Amino acid sequence: MLNSRMKLSTPTLALPLPGGGNKRQGFTLVELLVALAIFSVMSVVAYRGLNAVLETREHLMAENRKWRELAVFFAQMKEGVTNAVDRPVRDSGDLLAPAFLGKPEAVGENDAQLIFTRMGLPGQQGYLGDLQRLGYRLRDRNIELLVWPVLDQAPHTRPTVSLALGQVSSFVVRYLDDKGVWQAKWPVIGQNDVLPRAVEVRIGLESGEQVTRVFAP
Protein backbone atom coordinates (compact mmCIF):
# COMPACT_ATOMS: atom_id res chain seq x y z
CA MET A 1 0.00 0.00 0.00
CA LEU A 2 2.83 2.24 0.77
CA ASN A 3 4.23 1.56 -2.60
CA SER A 4 0.96 2.38 -4.29
CA ARG A 5 0.90 5.78 -2.66
CA MET A 6 4.36 6.68 -3.74
CA LYS A 7 4.76 8.49 -6.97
CA LEU A 8 7.29 7.08 -9.26
CA SER A 9 9.63 9.76 -10.68
CA THR A 10 10.83 9.34 -14.20
CA PRO A 11 14.23 10.97 -15.08
CA THR A 12 14.01 13.83 -17.57
CA LEU A 13 16.34 13.63 -20.53
CA ALA A 14 17.84 16.78 -22.05
CA LEU A 15 17.07 16.57 -25.73
CA PRO A 16 19.61 18.15 -28.02
CA LEU A 17 18.60 21.17 -30.08
CA PRO A 18 18.28 20.81 -33.83
CA GLY A 19 21.72 20.93 -35.33
CA GLY A 20 23.31 19.51 -32.22
CA GLY A 21 24.72 21.11 -29.10
CA ASN A 22 23.19 23.30 -26.43
CA LYS A 23 22.20 26.95 -26.90
CA ARG A 24 25.52 28.91 -27.01
CA GLN A 25 26.19 32.33 -25.45
CA GLY A 26 28.69 35.13 -26.46
CA PHE A 27 30.60 35.60 -29.74
CA THR A 28 33.02 33.52 -31.62
CA LEU A 29 36.53 34.74 -32.40
CA VAL A 30 35.63 35.21 -36.07
CA GLU A 31 32.69 37.45 -35.15
CA LEU A 32 34.91 39.56 -32.89
CA LEU A 33 37.50 39.96 -35.65
CA VAL A 34 34.83 41.02 -38.14
CA ALA A 35 33.42 43.57 -35.65
CA LEU A 36 36.89 44.96 -34.99
CA ALA A 37 37.56 45.26 -38.70
CA ILE A 38 34.30 47.15 -39.26
CA PHE A 39 35.05 49.44 -36.31
CA SER A 40 38.54 50.12 -37.65
CA VAL A 41 37.19 51.05 -41.09
CA MET A 42 34.60 53.37 -39.55
CA SER A 43 37.28 54.99 -37.36
CA VAL A 44 39.54 55.64 -40.36
CA VAL A 45 36.66 57.15 -42.33
CA ALA A 46 35.67 59.36 -39.37
CA TYR A 47 39.29 60.48 -38.83
CA ARG A 48 39.72 61.40 -42.48
CA GLY A 49 36.51 63.38 -42.41
CA LEU A 50 37.55 65.25 -39.26
CA ASN A 51 41.03 65.86 -40.64
CA ALA A 52 39.56 67.28 -43.86
CA VAL A 53 37.35 69.63 -41.83
CA LEU A 54 40.31 70.82 -39.74
CA GLU A 55 42.49 71.35 -42.81
CA THR A 56 39.72 73.33 -44.52
CA ARG A 57 39.27 75.44 -41.39
CA GLU A 58 43.00 76.13 -41.17
CA HIS A 59 43.12 77.03 -44.87
CA LEU A 60 40.20 79.45 -44.51
CA MET A 61 41.81 81.08 -41.47
CA ALA A 62 45.10 81.49 -43.35
CA GLU A 63 43.29 83.01 -46.36
CA ASN A 64 41.35 85.42 -44.16
CA ARG A 65 44.55 86.45 -42.39
CA LYS A 66 46.36 86.98 -45.70
CA TRP A 67 43.68 89.22 -47.20
CA ARG A 68 43.20 91.11 -43.95
CA GLU A 69 46.92 91.90 -43.74
CA LEU A 70 46.89 92.95 -47.40
CA ALA A 71 43.93 95.27 -46.82
CA VAL A 72 45.67 96.86 -43.83
CA PHE A 73 48.85 97.36 -45.86
CA PHE A 74 47.05 99.06 -48.75
CA ALA A 75 45.06 101.25 -46.36
CA GLN A 76 48.27 102.36 -44.66
CA MET A 77 50.02 103.01 -47.96
CA LYS A 78 47.05 104.89 -49.39
CA GLU A 79 46.87 107.10 -46.29
CA GLY A 80 50.54 107.97 -46.71
CA VAL A 81 50.55 108.58 -50.47
CA THR A 82 47.38 110.67 -50.47
CA ASN A 83 48.96 112.94 -47.84
CA ALA A 84 52.24 113.42 -49.72
CA VAL A 85 53.47 117.03 -49.81
CA ASP A 86 56.03 119.06 -51.73
CA ARG A 87 58.88 119.10 -49.21
CA PRO A 88 62.32 118.13 -50.57
CA VAL A 89 64.87 116.97 -48.00
CA ARG A 90 68.61 116.71 -47.47
CA ASP A 91 69.73 113.10 -47.43
CA SER A 92 72.57 111.66 -45.34
CA GLY A 93 75.03 112.65 -48.07
CA ASP A 94 73.87 116.29 -47.86
CA LEU A 95 72.29 116.04 -51.29
CA LEU A 96 68.89 117.49 -52.09
CA ALA A 97 66.36 114.67 -52.53
CA PRO A 98 62.97 115.18 -54.22
CA ALA A 99 59.84 115.32 -52.13
CA PHE A 100 58.56 112.25 -54.00
CA LEU A 101 61.09 109.71 -55.22
CA GLY A 102 60.45 106.40 -56.99
CA LYS A 103 62.76 103.84 -58.61
CA PRO A 104 62.58 100.15 -59.56
CA GLU A 105 65.22 98.97 -57.09
CA ALA A 106 66.49 100.06 -53.69
CA VAL A 107 70.24 100.51 -53.27
CA GLY A 108 71.83 100.03 -49.87
CA GLU A 109 70.57 99.47 -46.34
CA ASN A 110 68.94 102.89 -46.01
CA ASP A 111 67.28 103.14 -49.41
CA ALA A 112 63.79 102.27 -50.67
CA GLN A 113 61.94 101.93 -53.95
CA LEU A 114 59.37 104.55 -52.98
CA ILE A 115 60.25 107.46 -50.70
CA PHE A 116 58.15 110.55 -50.02
CA THR A 117 57.39 113.30 -47.54
CA ARG A 118 53.93 113.26 -46.04
CA MET A 119 51.90 115.42 -43.68
CA GLY A 120 51.76 114.52 -40.02
CA LEU A 121 48.90 112.55 -38.55
CA PRO A 122 45.81 114.71 -37.95
CA GLY A 123 45.10 115.53 -34.33
CA GLN A 124 48.60 114.50 -33.21
CA GLN A 125 51.28 116.64 -31.62
CA GLY A 126 55.05 116.39 -31.55
CA TYR A 127 56.75 113.92 -33.89
CA LEU A 128 53.53 112.30 -35.11
CA GLY A 129 52.03 115.66 -35.99
CA ASP A 130 55.10 116.86 -37.93
CA LEU A 131 56.01 116.13 -41.53
CA GLN A 132 57.41 112.63 -41.97
CA ARG A 133 59.71 110.92 -44.44
CA LEU A 134 58.55 107.41 -45.36
CA GLY A 135 59.77 104.70 -47.68
CA TYR A 136 58.70 101.26 -48.96
CA ARG A 137 60.87 98.49 -50.39
CA LEU A 138 60.81 94.76 -51.13
CA ARG A 139 63.48 92.80 -49.30
CA ASP A 140 63.75 89.07 -48.54
CA ARG A 141 60.16 88.40 -49.61
CA ASN A 142 58.87 91.15 -47.32
CA ILE A 143 57.73 94.70 -47.98
CA GLU A 144 59.40 96.91 -45.40
CA LEU A 145 58.36 100.34 -44.15
CA LEU A 146 61.17 102.83 -43.54
CA VAL A 147 60.59 105.87 -41.34
CA TRP A 148 63.30 108.52 -41.01
CA PRO A 149 63.50 110.32 -37.65
CA VAL A 150 64.04 113.72 -39.31
CA LEU A 151 63.48 115.22 -42.75
CA ASP A 152 66.90 116.76 -43.28
CA GLN A 153 69.32 114.03 -42.29
CA ALA A 154 72.75 114.03 -40.72
CA PRO A 155 75.55 111.85 -42.16
CA HIS A 156 74.70 108.92 -39.86
CA THR A 157 70.92 109.22 -39.81
CA ARG A 158 69.28 105.82 -40.17
CA PRO A 159 65.62 105.01 -40.76
CA THR A 160 63.58 102.73 -38.56
CA VAL A 161 62.67 99.59 -40.52
CA SER A 162 59.55 97.52 -39.81
CA LEU A 163 57.62 94.77 -41.56
CA ALA A 164 54.71 96.12 -43.60
CA LEU A 165 53.64 92.95 -45.48
CA GLY A 166 55.07 89.44 -45.62
CA GLN A 167 55.15 86.60 -48.17
CA VAL A 168 55.52 88.90 -51.19
CA SER A 169 57.19 87.79 -54.43
CA SER A 170 57.10 91.11 -56.32
CA PHE A 171 56.55 94.80 -55.60
CA VAL A 172 56.23 97.16 -58.58
CA VAL A 173 55.29 100.84 -58.40
CA ARG A 174 54.48 103.07 -61.38
CA TYR A 175 53.78 106.79 -61.59
CA LEU A 176 51.34 108.67 -63.82
CA ASP A 177 52.83 111.88 -65.25
CA ASP A 178 51.05 115.01 -66.45
CA LYS A 179 50.85 113.57 -70.00
CA GLY A 180 48.95 110.50 -68.86
CA VAL A 181 51.91 108.14 -69.27
CA TRP A 182 52.89 105.59 -66.65
CA GLN A 183 56.54 105.90 -65.62
CA ALA A 184 58.79 103.40 -63.83
CA LYS A 185 60.73 106.22 -62.11
CA TRP A 186 59.90 109.50 -60.44
CA PRO A 187 60.54 112.39 -60.92
CA VAL A 188 60.48 112.40 -64.71
CA ILE A 189 63.28 114.28 -66.45
CA GLY A 190 61.95 117.26 -68.36
CA GLN A 191 58.71 117.56 -66.37
CA ASN A 192 58.10 119.98 -63.55
CA ASP A 193 55.49 118.02 -61.61
CA VAL A 194 56.64 117.44 -58.06
CA LEU A 195 54.01 114.79 -57.35
CA PRO A 196 52.64 112.23 -59.82
CA ARG A 197 48.98 112.35 -60.74
CA ALA A 198 48.53 108.77 -59.56
CA VAL A 199 50.56 105.94 -58.08
CA GLU A 200 49.97 102.34 -59.14
CA VAL A 201 51.10 99.62 -56.73
CA ARG A 202 51.24 96.05 -58.01
CA ILE A 203 52.01 93.25 -55.55
CA GLY A 204 52.62 89.60 -56.32
CA LEU A 205 52.01 87.23 -53.42
CA GLU A 206 53.90 84.01 -52.87
CA SER A 207 50.57 82.18 -53.07
CA GLY A 208 50.28 83.28 -56.71
CA GLU A 209 47.81 86.19 -56.60
CA GLN A 210 48.52 89.54 -58.26
CA VAL A 211 46.91 92.57 -56.61
CA THR A 212 46.93 96.12 -58.00
CA ARG A 213 45.79 99.35 -56.39
CA VAL A 214 45.93 102.95 -57.64
CA PHE A 215 46.25 105.96 -55.32
CA ALA A 216 46.10 109.66 -56.06
CA PRO A 217 48.48 111.93 -54.08
Side-chain angles (χ1 to χ4, degrees), residues 9-72:
S9 59
T10 304
T12 303
L13 299 177
L15 299 177
L17 295 174
N22 294 326
K23 184 177 181 181
R24 54 189 175 85
Q25 297 179 352
F27 301 95
T28 65
L29 179 60
V30 174
E31 290 173 333
L32 287 175
L33 292 176
V34 171
L36 287 174
I38 294 175
F39 179 77
S40 299
V41 172
M42 294 178 63
S43 299
V44 170
V45 172
Y47 172 77
R48 289 182 177 177
L50 178 61
N51 189 53
V53 171
L54 293 177
E55 288 181 353
T56 301
R57 180 171 176 265
E58 183 65 25
H59 176 73
L60 290 176
M61 291 177 63
E63 286 293 305
N64 288 337
R65 183 168 57 251
K66 176 179 68 177
W67 293 110
R68 182 171 63 251
E69 292 174 352
L70 188 64
V72 170

Side-chain angles (χ1 to χ4, degrees), residues 5 14 20 22-23 42 45-46 66 74 78 80 85 92 112 138 147 150 158-159 162 195 201-202:
R5 292 180 180 178
N22 294 326
K23 184 177 181 181
M42 294 178 63
V45 172
K66 176 179 68 177
F74 277 128
K78 178 182 178 181
V85 294
S92 58
L138 176 63
V147 181
V150 292
R158 299 291 183 267
S162 60
L195 303 178
V201 180
R202 188 187 316 145

Side-chain angles (χ1 to χ4, degrees), residues 149-168:
V150 292
L151 296 183
D152 297 312
Q153 304 157 29
H156 298 289
T157 301
R158 299 291 183 267
T160 299
V161 181
S162 60
L163 175 65
L165 184 66
Q167 299 181 343
V168 178

